[in-house]
Amino acid sequence: MRYYLGLATTFHDPALALVGPDGDVLFAEAAERYLQYKRAPNCEPDPASRMVGLLKAHVPDGAEIVVASSWGAQFTDFLTGQGASGAFALEALARHPSTLNRSFVPEQAERIFIADLALAQARAGYGTLLALNQEIRGGGGSPRAAIRAQRRYPHHLTHAAYGLWGSPFSDATALIVDGMGETGAAALYRLSDGRIEEVRRHRGRGSVGFLYGLVTDLAGFDQVKGEEWKIMGLAPYGRTDPELMALLRRLFSVEDGRLRFADEATVQAVAGAILARRPADALESGWADLARCGQDIFAELMDALVDEAWRLAPHENLVVAGGCGLNSSYNGRLLGRSGFRHLHVPSAPGDDGNAVGAAWLAYAEDHPDWRGPPQAARPLTPYLGSRVSTEPFERMAAWEPRARRLGHGGVTREAARILAEGGLVGWVQGRAEFGPRALGNRSILADPRPAWAKDALNAKVKYREAFRPFAPSILAEAGPDWFEDYADSPYMERTLVWREGVRETVPAVVHADGTGRLQSVTPARNPAYAALIAAFRDLTGVPILLNTSFNVMGKPILHTAEDAILMFYTTGLDALVVEDWLLTKAA
């Protein structure tokens, strides 16, 4: 039997995915969860300590493993050659300084990025190989599996494979937009009868992702830390400044429907002019006006790419992937600004999702008749990660009377009651979500009705900026009653506008612009979470919970029961539910 290990091997957001002999995704998880290191920069996607247990759990004795990774073979060969020539030596890198973290000129300001990428590629698969070697040393015999091949696939193609084959569509257009690919930062693909074909690949230094990162840095944040999402949260508090808009528009033009980006001198001149206007407090609280203008410019650029997708590959179904697919503010408006009728953005549109895409591409290479998962298995569930053991609670029960095993029905009723009374609940169920957002299995939950709930959650647990919104999880059947132009949103992938008459009912999850980045919840997708929201609805009449990821600022979402227990005792959480165990601070 042959298994397919997909590895996301960009220097940030490394991840792994395991696909079985029938093409099913058995496991997918970002390395940051296991390592508890935010975004896991420059870390291998398959640490040997992780792979030992994963192989034992999923791969039988005598199996073969194909290791597949993102970034095509030609590109990785180029990186290897550059490394051998000394291009990534410290002396060489020092000759390419940049006053900004990112620019539009990879061969200069992005040199360190390229060097980091080369390092990530060189390590691809070594963690798995080490894990197999550890089996030999530990057991004295042959390892349970052998690596039979290592394959590499183009970066944007892996995005497209994950997005298209994991979508609910049998035919669709895919728009891939991120910071960088082998030749450019955007590409267009078509899915027809299960086959993926390239329609157009952008070339050159122009990058919507880098532009948004540039705005992030200029606004007082740090895109290296992945803080682009702060621009989305802050933008509604700003105003459209004509001078800032004029400066940002100098960075690009649209010619014959195609994006053209400015040269490095113009980029540096624009950045200098914007920095000269930056308020003194921007590094502490951000720059709302620039955030607003940056989001508006992002929408203009994406509109141009979406228009190109409609012109070259028109279809009613659109898939958006790549890091820019995380811009939920734009996603919520996309259909109203284009000819497309249905939108799918996967749960992990960034580079971590490429682990699944690479594994599926390798599987498809060995199974020419495969057309993607069967329709009944679509869209791909996001609940593909690790489970949390309840064994620590079984030990705690001997000395902690507030740790009780109540069964799933019991913890659901108690958690709903605590939430309805204004308490904060950590909620851990089943397998972890694949992607950056908590979707009801690794969540901190609160009552959305009190206006003070958002501030209380920030003060007691999250410790993050006040301008950042919290997301609503809503029972899908209630969506049209609460949102204008409601669309199913299973992964918190888009923001929609709340109906005017309901906003005062749930002020804690209504953002400054009247929107909410919602998660549509159904019993089929997540029975435990749907049951909790239903129980809360029965008590309050509101089929909505405030949902945020179970972590504190600067840390990844939790990975183990010990992580959850530590956060429970060191923050202002009132209750913790892990599977059918309940731990409370009140007796």
Side-chain angles (χ1 to χ4, degrees):
M1 287 189 291
R2 178 168 285 188
Y3 289 74
Y4 298 82
L5 177 66
L7 301 177
T9 49
T10 309
F11 83 96
H12 58 81
D13 301 311
L16 64 87
L18 187 64
V19 166
D22 56 359
D24 287 348
V25 180
L26 305 177
F27 185 88
E29 190 167 79
E32 71 164 17
R33 302 293 181 88
Y34 176 73
L35 299 173
Q36 282 297 287
Y37 179 30
K38 188 72 172 177
R39 303 197 77 190
N42 287 320
C43 293
E44 58 191 351
D46 58 334
S49 54
R50 181 76 187 95
M51 293 306 299
V52 170
L54 188 65
L55 293 173
K56 286 182 179 178
H58 295 286
V59 178
D61 289 341
E64 296 180 346
I65 296 176
V66 173
V67 177
S69 62
S70 56
W71 301 95
Q74 270 192 325
F75 191 65
T76 55
D77 289 345
F78 162 75
L79 295 174
T80 300
Q82 289 286 292
S85 71
F88 303 141
L90 291 177
E91 296 81 4
L93 293 172
R95 291 196 293 270
H96 300 285
S98 174
T99 55
L100 297 166
N101 289 332
R102 294 285 186 269
S103 84
F104 299 105
V105 192
E107 64 271 21
Q108 293 185 12
E110 288 303 307
R111 200 65 179 182
I112 293 176
F113 176 94
I114 299 291
D116 288 339
L117 182 55
L119 181 63
Q121 293 301 305
R123 290 199 303 261
Y126 282 6
T128 302
L129 185 61
L130 180 57
L132 294 172
N133 288 339
Q134 287 177 354
E135 280 197 347
I136 296 175
R137 293 197 303 270
S142 299
R144 71 178 51 250
I147 295 178
R148 291 304 182 199
Q150 185 161 347
R151 304 172 188 167
R152 292 186 171 93
Y153 298 95
H155 183 69
H156 286 148
L157 179 60
T158 57
H159 274 305
Y162 168 58
L164 287 167
W165 281 328
S167 77
F169 311 133
S170 56
D171 300 281
T173 295
L175 173 62
I176 313 302
V177 191
D178 58 10
M180 179 182 174
E182 282 88 349
T183 63
L188 192 61
Y189 294 86
R190 179 188 289 113
L191 178 71
S192 180
D193 190 31
R195 302 290 191 186
I196 297 174
E197 62 174 325
E198 181 182 296
V199 176
R200 177 165 186 250
R201 188 189 310 184
H202 282 231
R203 300 181 183 276
R205 65 180 182 269
S207 169
V208 178
F210 283 172
L211 186 146
Y212 205 74
L214 181 68
V215 170
T216 301
D217 293 328
L218 294 173
F221 306 121
D222 187 350
Q223 67 163 312
V224 173
K225 296 179 181 178
E227 294 184 336
E228 291 94 335
W229 28 265
K230 292 186 179 182
I231 297 296
M232 281 188 292
L234 185 58
Y237 294 93
R239 63 183 180 87
T240 300
D241 183 311
E243 184 177 342
L244 288 176
M245 291 292 287
L247 284 169
L248 291 174
R249 286 198 176 104
R250 289 179 58 193
L251 298 175
F252 70 93
S253 62
V254 180
E255 302 172 8
D256 298 324
R258 292 190 176 188
L259 295 180
R260 306 290 183 186
F261 285 77
D263 57 24
E264 184 185 14
T266 302
V267 173
Q268 297 296 335
V270 168
I274 291 175
L275 284 171
R277 291 196 55 197
R278 186 162 73 179
D281 63 350
L283 294 179
E284 296 179 5
S285 55
W287 186 0
D289 288 352
L290 183 60
R292 171 66 179 270
C293 294
Q295 181 65 28
D296 290 345
I297 291 294
F298 176 88
E300 288 184 18
L301 295 174
M302 288 296 294
D303 281 348
L305 292 175
V306 171
D307 287 346
E308 179 187 62
W310 179 255
R311 187 173 69 254
L312 298 181
H315 198 282
E316 66 176 6
N317 302 323
L318 178 67
V319 170
V320 173
C324 291
L326 288 166
N327 196 302
S328 54
S329 295
Y330 178 77
N331 293 343
R333 296 164 172 79
L334 186 155
L335 294 179
R337 301 160 76 117
S338 74
F340 295 99
R341 295 181 57 195
H342 307 291
L343 173 66
H344 173 77
V345 180
S347 66
D351 282 3
D352 46 351
N354 288 342
V356 175
W360 267 342
L361 286 167
Y363 184 87
E365 188 174 331
D366 289 346
H367 301 80
D369 294 332
W370 190 70
R371 296 292 190 272
Q375 206 64 35
R378 296 185 180 199
L380 181 67
T381 177
Y383 306 109
L384 296 166
S386 300
R387 293 184 180 274
V388 168
S389 171
T390 59
E391 189 272 339
F393 290 89
E394 295 165 10
R395 287 186 280 115
M396 283 180 65
W399 56 267
E400 173 58 274
R402 295 170 296 183
R404 296 173 289 157
R405 190 171 199 171
L406 303 179
H408 285 284
V411 295
T412 298
R413 288 189 295 272
E414 277 298 292
R417 179 189 62 79
I418 293 168
L419 288 164
E421 293 175 357
L424 303 178
V425 176
W427 180 259
V428 179
Q429 298 288 319
R431 299 181 67 175
E433 302 90 338
F434 183 50
R437 289 163 182 156
L439 301 172
N441 278 15
R442 303 290 183 274
S443 294
I444 295 173
L445 306 173
D447 185 344
R449 297 173 300 164
W452 46 260
K454 175 181 170 182
D455 293 337
L457 187 52
N458 269 332
K460 293 182 178 182
V461 183
K462 297 295 283 189
Y463 315 122
R464 68 184 200 179
E465 297 90 349
F467 62 78
R468 290 170 56 192
F470 287 109
S473 291
I474 183 169
L475 293 176
E477 67 266 22
D481 297 331
W482 293 78
F483 287 95
E484 297 178 6
D485 300 319
Y486 174 75
D488 190 53
S489 180
Y491 311 131
M492 289 186 186
E493 73 275 15
R494 70 191 83 194
T495 62
L496 297 179
V497 177
W498 291 94
R499 291 193 179 278
E500 195 76 41
V502 303
R503 297 179 186 183
E504 292 185 1
T505 305
V506 288
V509 288
V510 179
H511 199 28
D513 57 355
T515 65
R517 191 189 71 195
L518 72 155
Q519 177 196 1
S520 305
V521 182
T522 68
R525 288 195 285 249
N526 193 325
Y529 194 35
L532 177 64
I533 301 175
F536 180 81
R537 176 205 58 200
D538 293 344
L539 293 173
T540 65
V542 174
I544 299 166
L545 285 175
L546 183 157
N547 176 13
T548 187
S549 55
F550 202 154
N551 67 320
V552 294
M553 190 172 68
K555 290 286 289 180
I557 294 173
L558 68 91
H559 185 69
T560 65
E562 288 82 0
D563 295 334
I565 292 167
L566 176 64
M567 277 188 275
F568 172 75
Y569 280 118
T570 58
T571 68
L573 286 176
D574 297 291
L576 169 64
V577 174
V578 176
E579 298 297 348
D580 60 348
W581 282 84
L582 174 68
L583 177 62
T584 59
K585 289 202 170 95

